[in-house]
Each structure stands twice: as C-alpha cells, then as structure tokens.
C-alpha cells in the first residue's frame, strides 16, 4: 500500500484504486494531517490515467469516519481554525473532484465530515451497521465539507433540511429508504461489494467513464437544453478517441476490448 502521511493509504486492485482511511485510534476523525493525506492521495489518483474507479474505505471495524477531529479543534485559536480551513476543504474537494467514478464503502459511523466524504462519491454502498448523519449544528457549526450542497442534490431540499436542522443520526435501513445510501448489503460486506461494483465499472472505457462523469456532474442544475449541449461536448471528446475505435472493433469482433485509454 502506498502511504500518504500516517493515516491515508492507496491500495491497487488492477484498474481499481482503494483510498483507505487508516486512523483507527480516532475512528478516522479528520485531523489536519489526515486531511493533508487525503488531499495528496486524491491529487495522485486524479493524475493517474490507469485508474478507472476508486473505492473509499476504512480500516476501523466500527466506523467509516466520524468527521472532524474535535479534540484537535478544541485546542485551536480562531487563527488556527482559519489556517486549517483550506487544508480540510482540500480533502473533501479532492474526493469530489476525482475524475473517475468513486464509491464509498460505509459501515458503522459516517457522521459529519465522514458522511460528507461519502456524499462526495458517486455511489455509496453501506452495510447494516451504518449510521449516517450531518450533526454539525449540534456543536455550533454547519456541514462545511460539501454537505449543505451535496445532500439536497441527493435527497431534495426539504429532506436535507430536516436532516441538517435536526442533526439526527440515521440508521442503515432508513438511510437506504431515504436515498442517503445507494446499496444496502449484508453486515461486513460493504468493502467487498464496493470493490466488486468498482471492478464491474472498471471493465468499461476509462475515457468514456471520465467523460460521462464530467457530463453528469457539470450538467446537474442546468436547464435541459444547456445540459444537452454540455453532453454533446462530452460526446465529441470521446467519439474520436482510441477507446471508441477499440470499443466498436471489439464489439464487431466479439471479443473483450483492450482499452488504450486515450
């Protein structure tokens, strides 16, 4: 496993990369150093053209990530908190801006910034032990890792408002029913199922995957005509690629494609 600081690693499974949060003594609470590691790992993954899908996972048995390291923040002055802000923000935007499909493998607690890391992914696979929520208003702040923007896009404005304003924790079955997670799996199987899903995704064209993600992300919120123009631009970016030529040839020759990735 390649390490990015003490508490973040990247493991490779063929064309799938696993971004691993590994701060077990703190249930993956996001300290300044851990935020730096996440940002650095995401920068490396974004620049790696061989990665077709990413799974974000945790080594802690009872938590995906419990959010910000409040013990560290308790020692901060106002100036310290201002200096930390761009570093923690880089961790969340690093996951959000990954150009390839991303899947969060969630078990146990995914709260505050931990749930925001999951929300920054394209898909969330959770097991029955998962408990998710954005409890920031209960400690005098707001979701600041993308939660106020990502949650309404996922479940709608009114549902997001109820969840943010009440600061309540949502158990796995309700989370699946509300659309807070996308796939509910057997206890202990979140990582296995997320990696399997990523492997299925990674069989497809890396050029196509990145272009499709870009079109969906940038098109969200546009009116239909503007979205279709954006889609057309994304289509043109792949229509004359080596991947498109290989995909058509492989289909006609009844064989698996060998994607050139360009």
């Amino acid at each position: 496993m390649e390490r990015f600081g003490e508490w973040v690693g990247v493991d490779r499974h063929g064309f799938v990369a696993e971004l691993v949060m590994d701060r077990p003594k703190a249930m993956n609470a996001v300290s300044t150093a851990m935020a730096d590691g996440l940002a650095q790992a995401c920068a490396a993954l974004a620049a790696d053209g061989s990665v077709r899908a990413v799974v974000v996972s945790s080594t802690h048995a009872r938590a995906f990530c419990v959010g910000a390291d409040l013990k560290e923040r308790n020692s901060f002055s106002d100036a310290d908190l201002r200096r930390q802000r761009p570093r923690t923000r880089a961790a969340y935007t690093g996951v959000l801006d990954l150009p390839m499909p991303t899947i969060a493998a969630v078990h146990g607690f995914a709260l505050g910034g931990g749930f925001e890391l999951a929300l920054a992914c394209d898909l969330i696979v959770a097991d029955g032990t998962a408990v998710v929520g954005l409890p920031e208003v209960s400690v005098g702040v707001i979701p600041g890792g993308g939660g106020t923007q990502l949650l309404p896009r996922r479940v709608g404005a009114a549902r997001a408002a109820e969840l943010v304003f009440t600061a309540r924790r949502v158990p796995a079955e309700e989370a699946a029913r509300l659309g807070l997670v996308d796939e509910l799996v057997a206890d202990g199987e979140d990582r296995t199922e997320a990696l399997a899903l990523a492997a299925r995704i990674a069989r497809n064209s890396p050029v196509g995957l990145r272009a499709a993600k870009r079109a969906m992300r940038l098109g969200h919120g546009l009116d239909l005509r503007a979205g279709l123009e954006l889609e057309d631009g994304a289509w043109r970016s792949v229509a004359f690629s080596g991947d498109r030529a290989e995909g058509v040839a492989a289909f006609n020759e009844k064989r698996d494609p060998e994607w050139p990735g360009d």
Side-chain angles (χ1 to χ4, degrees), residues 9 109 180:
F109 297 112
L180 298 172

Side-chain angles (χ1 to χ4, degrees), residues 73-222:
R73 288 194 181 178
N74 191 48
S75 68
F76 279 3
S77 66
D78 287 351
D80 291 332
L81 189 58
R82 289 190 186 94
R83 282 192 293 268
Q84 187 207 40
R85 175 59 177 168
R87 295 167 71 179
T88 53
R89 190 176 180 190
Y92 298 109
T93 56
V95 176
L96 183 65
D97 291 343
L98 284 170
M100 66 288 291
T102 53
I103 304 166
V106 174
H107 60 266
F109 297 112
L111 301 172
F115 188 39
E116 288 174 304
L117 287 170
L119 290 171
C121 295
D122 299 298
L123 297 165
I124 302 174
V125 174
D127 79 358
T129 70
V131 178
V132 306
L134 296 176
E136 284 88 346
V137 297
S138 70
V139 293
V141 291
I142 69 166
T148 65
Q149 304 305 303
L150 294 170
L151 189 60
R153 285 166 166 78
R154 176 174 270 273
V155 297
R159 177 63 67 193
E162 183 266 324
L163 293 167
V164 171
F165 296 161
T166 63
R168 71 184 180 93
R169 301 179 178 193
V170 183
E173 287 192 8
E174 184 184 3
R177 188 169 67 251
L178 296 179
L180 298 172
V181 304
D182 300 301
E183 185 176 349
L184 190 60
V185 300
D187 292 4
E189 294 298 312
D190 53 294
R191 176 178 174 270
T192 299
E193 293 296 332
L195 286 170
L197 176 57
R200 293 197 298 275
I201 290 170
R203 289 200 290 265
N204 297 307
S205 158
V207 171
L209 288 170
R210 291 182 182 223
K213 175 169 177 171
R214 185 169 65 250
M216 287 189 287
R217 283 286 180 92
L218 295 179
H220 190 93
L222 297 179

Side-chain angles (χ1 to χ4, degrees), residues 226-241:
L228 290 173
E229 287 302 311
L230 187 147
E231 180 185 77
D232 185 64
W235 178 86
R236 291 174 186 276
S237 75
V238 300
F240 310 103
S241 68

